[in-house]
Amino acid sequence: MSKRRCDACEARVEVPGGVGDFWDFGSLEKAGPGGLTLELDDGSKFFLCFDCIEALPEDPTRADVDALTPE
């Protein structure tokens, strides 16, 4: 499993997939919160954990993602 940081809250997110997970079927249970890469209408892309994705409004903008960033 690889790890990435959420672009908003900077939490470490385990991203399942790849050859390392091929034989480790138990890794699905250990996957953690997970996340997705979102591409917004303005063409910007962000990798966000699921907690941050849930905090976004229906049609998020770059400003909405920036508002999630801890200060």
Side-chain angles (χ1 to χ4, degrees):
M1 228 181 274
S2 65
K3 294 182 172 124
R4 292 187 66 182
R5 291 215 180 259
C6 174
D7 291 334
C9 70
E10 299 180 0
R12 283 182 66 132
V13 178
E14 293 194 21
V15 182
V19 77
D21 292 335
F22 186 71
W23 296 109
D24 187 11
F25 296 110
S27 66
L28 295 176
E29 297 168 4
K30 301 182 282 184
L36 293 170
T37 300
L38 297 180
E39 184 172 353
L40 303 181
D41 289 339
D42 67 359
S44 59
K45 292 182 183 180
F46 300 95
F47 177 79
L48 301 175
C49 68
F50 288 137
D51 290 339
C52 287
I53 291 171
E54 289 179 10
L56 290 172
E58 186 68 30
D59 292 314
T61 64
R62 179 184 286 267
D64 295 322
V65 175
D66 290 341
L68 296 174
T69 305
E71 297 181 23

